Amino acid sequence: MSDKLAEVEISKDGETYYAKITLTSGEVVSLENDDFEEVLEQVANDLQDRFGT
């Protein structure tokens, strides 16, 4: 059985991409960037910092 670590929601408004990371603790992290790949990298880096070994 796997444990849920976070939910990630990605949206776009105009030229800006937004990522919302909701952690199981209830903490919400909001990120934004005009480049889709960059916002994905920000999400990956944040999650790696929190949960990486």
Side-chain angles (χ1 to χ4, degrees):
M1 173 102 178
S2 61
D3 293 329
K4 183 181 199 178
L5 300 175
E7 289 185 11
V8 177
E9 178 182 324
I10 298 177
S11 58
K12 182 179 180 186
D13 185 12
E15 296 297 315
T16 305
Y17 293 93
Y18 298 91
K20 182 172 102 173
I21 304 169
T22 305
L23 304 169
T24 56
S25 66
E27 180 182 356
V28 176
V29 178
S30 297
L31 306 165
E32 64 180 79
N33 202 301
D34 290 343
D35 184 272
F36 182 68
E37 288 183 26
E38 288 291 323
V39 81
L40 289 178
E41 188 171 316
Q42 288 176 302
V43 169
N45 288 339
D46 186 273
L47 294 175
Q48 179 69 32
D49 289 346
R50 292 173 190 279
F51 304 112
T53 54

